[in-house]
């Protein structure tokens, strides 16, 4: 890849970019202006379904249930009324009934809700007899165990059929709930999912600008130049605009997974420009601006190309996934990574030399100290390789032990800050209404109900109730079966009981039994706020009981989908990671024409992954929706630094420098750029700690840890591994291909 004589094609390309730099810059500006409008129309895919593979059995079961029973997409409004019931009675107080019906009347006017399907307590308790039995049946659903909390269930119209967007429906319901006296809480799994995506979208935009401002400040402190402060941000923003415009024109949407687009492009763009800045500054002390930039481009064009290529390959590996948003993430990041190269080529020559600026990027306040530390690090690697290697090995082993402490987060409320309205509302349901997790078990049923089949259903319901315990995790809090309602009026013929039940509680029968499709279901409630292991065990137990009694029984519901969501996202991450590692290794092999170098490059890129995931285990950070792909992301983030380091090292060796000299030069050149880029990026990502969406906070922390791990891997592990290669046969083989240095007697020699 890197020869003593610069390839002629690179010289011609460099001269072409420099000679016509103003035209290239003008073209970039025109393209950015043209792309601005389509880029602003990029939509956010707000669907949990999209986070599952199309052929996933649990997703298929959920879709079938929605078609069979109309779905359970409810918005639930609840509040506490100390005077809900008359004293020592199962009768609603007149004032409480008026408050419930007034609230229901307001909710019936909200577009997007099925006004004729609203379920509320005053209708359920309208029967003159049997109110105590009905109240017991509705406990944990429409009335709380405290006898003071009541809930109103509002069924949403099917997606795409309402006159207004669902976001507007949720907003209107919340406005009504807030204005109610006392203020009411609003929950429902569709609302929770909407809030999750809303926070990601809003925080991504707001914190993106805050992060950019902080990054600009840090870069300005490092180089004390407005021009060099703006250049990295221009590269990032232009790349993002072009990428988003292409995505819109191709019909793609952002998803929960690809919401990391802005952050990752920022890392790639700023790291690339940082290397150019420091190399340009080095040449400016002895060359004119044009000559310095020309030499910088000749030096760094090929290394930057290979860093972009390997990073793009790393991200493209996730396209083997079966999950559409993961595939789209791979496409988006591959496209954006390649566009960073195009942006740098079109924008930087003209922008750096704009106005004939003679100003050289300044020196950072602590640059001399950093240089000394890097020099000391070089000495340690050379003089104490066993000690340094042993320390890194112990750190790796310690972090690897944290892998066995990893946990998966399925408590949806943990995605939000405890002070957020959604968590406060969830707490009300968890404490007083039997939990916010609604799901079902459905099974085959005859087209016409008979006593024998209903007896089986009743026995199965009794089995499920043995799993009920509102106070313990991993237990059901409520079981609702069709036989519960039918047993209330068991003295009547079956057909009469079904008709009476429909009048007493609309949608009760049709919501649990579909004779045309031949399916029946039993509704279940469980606590959302419980460990993942407890949820998985409970779902498995219900499935086991159902399959023993009804062949073809299935458990489904948003509660089930959300519980298995992380498992879905992580399902093919190991395969993607292996493919990425192999692709990167092959790419490095081609670039450096050395299999040993390609093999050792993987180790410093595996280290930050072990560091990140191990740290998660040790400090108790669970794997959640934003961190499920952290291994693949880490590989894409750190490989470019390794390429730059290896490029600097091999270039120094080919110029005849000894191993020690090459290491020292690389540490104080490329190493300095790596340190500065990491300082700026870690500072910028610290802004994510302010997010309302907790997984974004975790993502910011873990990306920072990954970058620090990559820095340690490239400044400590990679030199140690290069030392091993330099001392063996592989180094001799590599040196045979390096340019020769003329000795005193005219013979060609290689300095060792």
């Amino acid at each position: 890849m890197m020869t003593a004589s610069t390839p002629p094609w690179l010289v011609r390309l460099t001269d072409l970019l420099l000679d016509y730099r103003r035209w290239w810059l003008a073209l970039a500006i025109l393209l950015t202006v043209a792309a601005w409008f389509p880029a602003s129309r990029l939509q956010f895919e707000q669907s949990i379904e999209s986070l599952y593979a199309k052929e996933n059995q649990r997703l298929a079961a959920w879709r079938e249930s929605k078609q069979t029973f109309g779905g359970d997409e409810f918005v639930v409004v609840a509040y506490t009324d100390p005077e809900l019931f008359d004293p020592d009675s199962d009768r609603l107080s007149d004032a409480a009934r008026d408050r419930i019906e007034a609230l229901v009347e307001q909710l019936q006017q909200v577009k997007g809700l099925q006004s004729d399907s609203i379920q509320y307590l005053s209708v359920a308790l309208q029967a003159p007899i049997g109110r105590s039995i009905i109240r017991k049946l509705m406990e944990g659903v429409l009335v709380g165990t405290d006898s003071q909390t009541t809930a109103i269930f509002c069924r949403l119209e099917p997606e795409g059929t309402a006159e207004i967007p669902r976001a507007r429906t949720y907003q209107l319901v919340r406005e009504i709930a807030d204005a109610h006296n006392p203020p009411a809480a609003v929950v429902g799994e569709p609302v929770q999912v909407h809030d999750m995506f809303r926070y990601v979208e809003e925080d991504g935009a707001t914190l993106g600008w805050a992060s950019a401002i902080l990054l600009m400040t840090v870069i300005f402190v490092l180089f004390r130049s407005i021009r060099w402060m703006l250049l990295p941000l221009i590269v990032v923003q232009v790349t993002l605009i072009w990428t988003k415009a292409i995505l819109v024109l191709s019909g793609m949407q952002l998803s929960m997974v690809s919401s990391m687009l802005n952050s990752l492009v920022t890392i790639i763009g700023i790291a690339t420009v940082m290397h150019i800045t420091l190399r340009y500054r080095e040449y400016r002390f002895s060359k004119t601006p044009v000559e310095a930039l020309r030499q910088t481009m000749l030096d760094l064009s090929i290394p930057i190309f290979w860093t972009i290529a390997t990073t793009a390959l790393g991200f493209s590996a996730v396209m083997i996934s079966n999950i559409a948003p993961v595939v789209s993430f791979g496409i988006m990041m591959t496209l954006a990574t390649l566009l960073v190269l195009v942006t740098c080529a079109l924008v930087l020559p003209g922008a750096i030399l704009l106005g004939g600026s003679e100003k050289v990027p300044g020196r950072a306040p602590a640059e001399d100290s950093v240089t000394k530390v890097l020099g000391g690090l070089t000495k340690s690697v050379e003089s104490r390789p066993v000690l340094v290697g042993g320390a890194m090995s112990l750190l790796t082993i310690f972090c690897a032990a944290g892998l066995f402490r990893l946990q998966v987060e399925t408590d949806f409320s943990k995605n939000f800050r405890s002070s957020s309205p959604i968590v406060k509302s969830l707490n009300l349901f968890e404490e007083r209404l039997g939990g916010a997790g609604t799901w079902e078990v459905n099974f085959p049923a005859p087209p016409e109900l008979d006593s024998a089949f209903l007896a089986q259903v009743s026995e199965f319901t009794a089995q499920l109730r043995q799993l009920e315990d509102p106070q313990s995790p991993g237990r059901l809090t409520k079981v609702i079966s069709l036989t519960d309602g039918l047993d209330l009026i068991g003295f009547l013929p079956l057909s009469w009981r079904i008709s009476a039940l429909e009048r007493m509680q609309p949608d009760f029968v049709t919501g649990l039994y579909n004779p045309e499709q031949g399916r029946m279901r039993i509704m279940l409630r469980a606590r959302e706020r419980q460990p993942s292991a407890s949820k998985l065990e409970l779902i498995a137990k219900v499935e086991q009981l159902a399959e023993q009694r009804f062949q073809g029984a299935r458990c489904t519901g948003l509660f089930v989908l959300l519980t298995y969501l992380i498992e879905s996202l992580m399902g093919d991450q190991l395969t993607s990671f292996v493919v990425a590692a192999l692709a990167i290794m092959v790419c490095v092999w081609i670039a450096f024409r050395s299999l040993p170098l390609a093999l050792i490059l993987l180790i410093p890129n595996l280290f930050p992954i072990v560091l990140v995931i191990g740290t998660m285990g040790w400090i108790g950070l669970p794997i959640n929706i934003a961190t499920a792909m952290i291994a693949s992301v880490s590989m894409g983030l750190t490989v470019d630094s390794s390429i730059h380091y290896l490029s600097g090292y091999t270039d120094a060796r080919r110029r005849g420098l000894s191993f020690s000299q090459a290491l020292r030069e690389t540490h104080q050149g490329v190493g300095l750029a790596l340190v500065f880029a990491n300082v700026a990026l870690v500072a910028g990502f610290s802004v994510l700690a302010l997010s309302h969406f907790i997984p974004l906070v975790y993502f910011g922390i873990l990306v920072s840890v990954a970058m620090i791990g990559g820095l340690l891997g490239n400044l400590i592990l990679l030199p140690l591994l290069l030392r091993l290669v330099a001392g063996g046969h592989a180094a001799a083989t590599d040196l045979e291909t390096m340019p020769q240095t003329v000795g005193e007697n005219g013979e060609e020699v290689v300095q060792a």
Side-chain angles (χ1 to χ4, degrees):
M1 180 185 86
M2 299 175 188
T3 60
S5 56
T6 305
W9 64 266
L10 180 58
V11 175
R12 290 194 297 271
L13 177 61
T14 300
D15 289 338
L16 179 66
L17 292 174
L18 278 174
D19 292 345
Y20 297 96
R21 60 185 180 272
R22 294 181 181 85
W23 290 103
W24 297 125
L25 181 59
L27 175 62
I29 293 172
L30 287 174
L31 288 174
T32 305
V33 171
W36 183 272
F37 177 70
S40 65
R41 295 169 55 214
L42 185 62
Q43 298 295 313
F44 204 80
E45 171 62 46
Q46 298 189 15
S47 168
I48 287 295
E49 295 178 67
S50 68
L51 297 178
Y52 275 84
K54 290 181 179 179
E55 65 276 10
N56 184 278
Q57 292 183 352
R58 296 196 178 278
L59 178 61
W62 187 54
R63 285 175 168 166
E64 288 175 14
S65 175
K66 289 171 67 176
Q67 292 176 352
T68 303
F69 302 105
D72 294 306
E73 296 183 293
F74 288 100
V75 177
V76 188
V77 180
Y79 63 92
T80 299
D81 186 345
E83 300 176 351
L84 188 62
F85 290 96
D86 286 336
D88 302 320
S89 170
D90 294 309
R91 182 181 179 277
L92 285 172
S93 69
D94 292 338
R97 179 181 293 104
D98 290 343
R99 280 190 287 268
I100 291 173
E101 293 180 352
L103 182 55
V104 168
E105 187 176 344
Q106 287 182 286
L107 292 171
Q108 287 175 330
Q109 306 306 312
V110 176
K111 293 180 179 178
L113 301 180
Q114 295 184 28
S115 59
D116 57 346
S117 297
I118 295 178
Q119 301 173 25
Y120 52 103
L121 196 57
S122 58
V123 170
L125 294 177
Q126 66 184 350
I129 58 174
R131 271 198 294 261
S132 60
I133 301 175
I134 297 173
R135 175 177 168 180
K136 186 64 178 176
L137 179 62
M138 293 294 104
E139 191 172 280
V141 183
L142 298 181
V143 62
T145 54
D146 60 355
S147 299
Q148 295 183 350
T149 303
T150 184
I152 300 170
F153 279 70
C154 308
R155 190 186 294 271
L156 288 162
E157 292 185 5
E159 191 80 58
T161 62
E163 295 181 33
I164 60 176
R166 281 196 171 178
R168 178 60 179 160
T169 298
Y170 301 148
Q171 181 185 356
L172 292 172
V173 172
R174 280 182 162 143
E175 289 174 358
I176 292 171
D178 291 341
H180 186 263
N181 185 23
V186 178
V187 297
E189 281 154 333
V191 181
Q192 294 166 235
V193 172
H194 166 76
D195 281 356
M196 175 180 70
F197 285 107
R198 178 171 62 87
Y199 278 137
V200 169
E201 191 171 14
E202 290 178 357
D203 285 3
T206 304
L207 297 180
W209 284 108
S211 178
I213 292 170
L214 185 55
L215 276 167
M216 291 170 67
T217 304
V218 173
I219 295 171
F220 180 78
V221 170
L222 289 175
F223 299 115
R224 286 168 290 168
S225 166
I226 298 293
R227 184 188 298 261
W228 291 96
M229 175 189 75
L230 293 175
L231 283 175
L233 276 300
I234 290 173
V235 167
V236 169
Q237 292 304 317
V238 169
T239 301
L240 286 172
I241 291 171
W242 291 357
T243 302
K244 291 177 180 179
I246 293 173
L247 295 178
V248 169
L249 295 175
S250 63
M252 295 181 67
Q253 292 181 311
L254 282 177
S255 68
M256 176 64 68
V257 178
S258 54
S259 62
M260 297 180 281
L261 175 69
N262 288 21
S263 301
L264 298 180
V265 171
T266 299
I267 293 173
I268 298 166
I270 286 181
T272 301
V273 177
M274 196 68 72
H275 286 284
I276 294 171
T277 303
L278 289 178
R279 186 64 63 93
Y280 175 79
R281 187 185 69 179
E282 179 184 334
Y283 284 125
R284 275 292 286 117
F285 292 119
S286 58
K287 299 178 182 292
T288 65
V290 175
E291 292 171 343
L293 182 57
R294 185 176 188 273
Q295 192 59 51
T296 298
M297 293 171 67
L298 291 173
D299 287 354
L300 294 182
S301 292
I302 292 178
I304 287 175
F305 168 80
W306 285 112
T307 61
I308 294 296
T310 51
T311 302
L313 275 174
F315 285 122
S316 64
V318 303
M319 286 191 282
I320 67 172
S321 173
N322 293 315
I323 302 173
V326 176
V327 175
S328 68
F329 168 75
I331 294 172
M332 291 177 188
M333 283 311 307
T334 301
L335 173 63
T337 303
L338 295 174
L339 284 177
V340 169
L341 183 64
V342 177
T343 305
C344 288
L346 296 184
V347 172
L348 288 183
I352 290 172
L353 300 175
L354 188 65
S357 173
E358 296 289 331
K359 188 172 178 58
V360 180
R363 292 178 65 83
E367 188 165 334
D368 292 337
S369 300
V370 173
T371 303
K372 287 180 182 178
V373 170
L374 290 171
L377 193 59
T378 308
K379 276 189 175 181
S380 298
V381 171
E382 286 187 85
S383 60
R384 300 182 183 85
V386 176
L387 179 63
V388 175
M392 291 296 288
S393 298
L394 287 175
L395 178 60
T396 304
I397 293 170
F398 174 77
C399 291
L403 300 177
F404 299 99
R405 299 168 59 91
L406 278 175
Q407 297 178 344
V408 175
E409 182 62 82
T410 61
D411 179 352
F412 205 81
S413 67
K414 294 291 181 67
N415 289 326
F416 311 97
R417 293 189 182 275
S418 58
S419 58
S420 66
I422 190 68
V423 172
K424 291 179 179 178
S425 298
L426 279 170
N427 287 341
L428 176 68
F429 276 75
E430 293 285 296
E431 294 167 6
R432 304 186 184 187
L433 285 164
T438 302
W439 50 303
E440 71 182 64
V441 54
N442 67 63
F443 44 87
E448 186 173 340
L449 297 178
D450 56 47
S451 299
F453 177 76
L454 290 175
Q456 290 189 54
V457 175
S458 184
E459 290 173 7
F460 180 44
T461 303
Q463 281 186 298
L464 292 176
R465 289 215 165 97
Q466 292 178 6
L467 300 177
E468 277 188 333
D469 185 352
Q471 306 305 319
S472 301
R475 308 285 284 182
L476 295 171
T477 60
K478 189 69 179 178
V479 177
I480 303 175
S481 171
L482 179 61
T483 55
D484 297 331
L486 295 176
D487 290 345
L488 288 175
I489 41 181
F491 55 88
L492 295 174
L494 180 57
S495 59
W496 291 19
R497 281 185 281 163
I498 293 174
S499 299
L501 195 56
E502 275 288 10
R503 288 194 298 272
M504 291 168 56
Q505 186 63 38
D507 292 338
F508 186 83
V509 175
T510 56
L512 296 176
Y513 171 58
N514 186 322
E516 289 79 14
Q517 296 295 325
R519 302 293 292 188
M520 179 178 284
R521 64 176 175 173
I522 296 175
M523 300 304 300
L524 309 172
R525 294 282 288 280
R527 295 197 181 279
E528 177 66 39
R529 310 196 70 172
Q530 58 176 311
S532 170
S534 300
K535 291 182 178 180
L536 293 170
E537 184 179 349
L538 177 61
I539 294 169
K541 183 64 176 176
V542 172
E543 286 179 331
Q544 181 185 5
L545 291 174
E547 288 167 0
Q548 289 173 354
R549 188 171 291 273
F550 301 103
Q551 188 175 4
R554 293 187 291 263
C555 283
T556 187
L558 271 175
F559 175 83
V560 176
L561 286 184
L562 291 171
T563 299
Y564 284 94
L565 177 60
I566 307 303
E567 178 185 286
S568 169
L569 287 177
M570 293 179 64
D572 45 25
Q573 287 305 295
L574 178 60
T575 305
S576 299
F577 175 75
V578 171
V579 171
L582 290 174
I584 289 171
M585 187 187 73
V586 171
C587 193
V588 174
W589 186 3
I590 295 171
F592 290 91
R593 288 176 291 179
S594 169
L595 182 58
L597 290 180
L599 289 171
I600 67 171
L601 190 74
L602 288 179
I603 297 176
N605 285 286
L606 291 174
F607 173 73
I609 295 171
V610 175
L611 181 66
V612 166
I613 300 178
T615 299
M616 290 175 65
W618 280 115
I619 67 177
L621 282 183
I623 297 175
N624 57 33
I625 197 167
T627 59
M629 295 175 59
I630 196 66
S632 299
V633 170
S634 295
M635 175 69 81
L637 293 180
T638 57
V639 66
D640 59 343
S641 298
S642 301
I643 295 285
H644 275 293
Y645 190 97
L646 201 54
S647 173
Y649 167 79
T650 54
D651 183 60
R653 291 287 275 158
R654 285 189 170 92
R655 286 188 281 108
L657 298 183
S658 67
F659 173 77
S660 298
Q661 292 169 331
L663 208 61
R664 191 174 301 112
E665 181 180 286
T666 307
H667 259 64
Q668 296 184 352
V670 177
L672 189 63
L674 297 183
V675 171
F676 283 172
N678 276 268
V679 167
L681 290 167
V682 170
F685 276 96
S686 66
V687 174
L688 290 179
L690 302 175
S691 175
H692 293 90
F693 190 57
I694 299 301
L696 280 184
V697 177
Y698 290 173
F699 178 72
I701 294 171
L702 294 176
V703 165
S704 298
V705 172
M707 288 188 290
I708 293 170
L711 187 64
L712 292 175
N714 288 310
L715 295 182
I716 299 177
L717 275 178
L718 188 53
L720 283 172
L721 295 167
L722 289 173
R723 187 179 188 278
L724 293 175
V725 174
H729 174 71
T733 303
D734 288 341
L735 290 174
E736 287 175 3
T737 65
M738 292 182 181
Q740 307 299 311
T741 303
V742 180
E744 293 180 358
N745 298 322
E747 73 278 12
E748 290 186 337
V749 298
V750 175
Q751 295 181 0

